[in-house]
Every structure is written in structure tokens, then in C-alpha cells.
Amino acid sequence: MSEQNKPYVPYTTEQKREYAKQFTPDQIKSYRNGQRSAYAHMGNIGKRNSFFIHGNLKKDDTANPVAPPVEKPKRGRKKADDK
């Protein structure tokens, strides 16, 4: 099997513990703080973008009032002799 087609096998708890031994407790704490701030940063970007879009939509509403819907002409019913 090629390297790309291998099935994904997650690490076992023991393997994770072995991997974690190479880092100091301060490094682990710093990494977790970085993760937390990264997620906060993504949330802030999403909030900023949604307010930006919302603000632009509000500007468009005030600049270009929505035209009333165009009424379609009513169709008359077909009569029996209109074939």
C-alpha cells in the first residue's frame, strides 16, 4: 500500500504518553494557551466578518430602498368554448 492510502490509526494512550515525555510541563502549558488563543482569534474573525456583512447589508437597505413587488396580471379562467 502506498503512503497515502494507509488507513488512519490513532495513537494509543501509551504512545501519546511516550510522545509527551519530550516536552517540559511549561512547553505543554504554553501550547495549550496558544491553542486557546487561536480558537478565540478564529471566533473574533468570524464575528468581525459577520458584523461587516451585516453593516453592508444595512447600508444597502438605506441607500437602495426595496421596490414594491411587481404584481403579475391576473389570468382569466379558460372558458369551455376557448379550445
Side-chain angles (χ1 to χ4, degrees):
M1 237 183 214
S2 72
E3 186 67 30
Q4 288 182 334
N5 295 335
K6 280 186 180 177
Y8 172 73
V9 181
Y11 284 134
T12 63
T13 306
E14 193 56 42
Q15 287 172 313
K16 289 178 187 176
R17 285 189 183 129
E18 284 299 315
Y19 179 74
K21 285 180 184 176
Q22 62 185 314
F23 302 107
T24 65
D26 286 341
Q27 287 176 313
I28 292 171
K29 192 181 342 175
S30 170
Y31 175 78
R32 291 199 176 125
N33 287 340
Q35 291 289 302
R36 196 175 305 129
S37 64
Y39 278 107
H41 179 63
M42 287 191 286
N44 291 339
I45 288 174
K47 194 183 299 183
R48 181 189 69 198
N49 290 347
S50 69
F51 280 135
F52 179 73
I53 292 167
H54 182 72
N56 280 344
L57 289 174
K58 286 291 180 196
K59 283 182 202 166
D60 287 350
D61 286 348
T62 56
N64 306 322
V66 177
V70 178
E71 290 189 28
K72 295 180 182 176
K74 293 183 179 172
R75 295 180 58 192
R77 299 184 83 188
K78 287 188 177 180
K79 295 178 185 167
D81 58 325
D82 288 349
K83 287 189 179 179

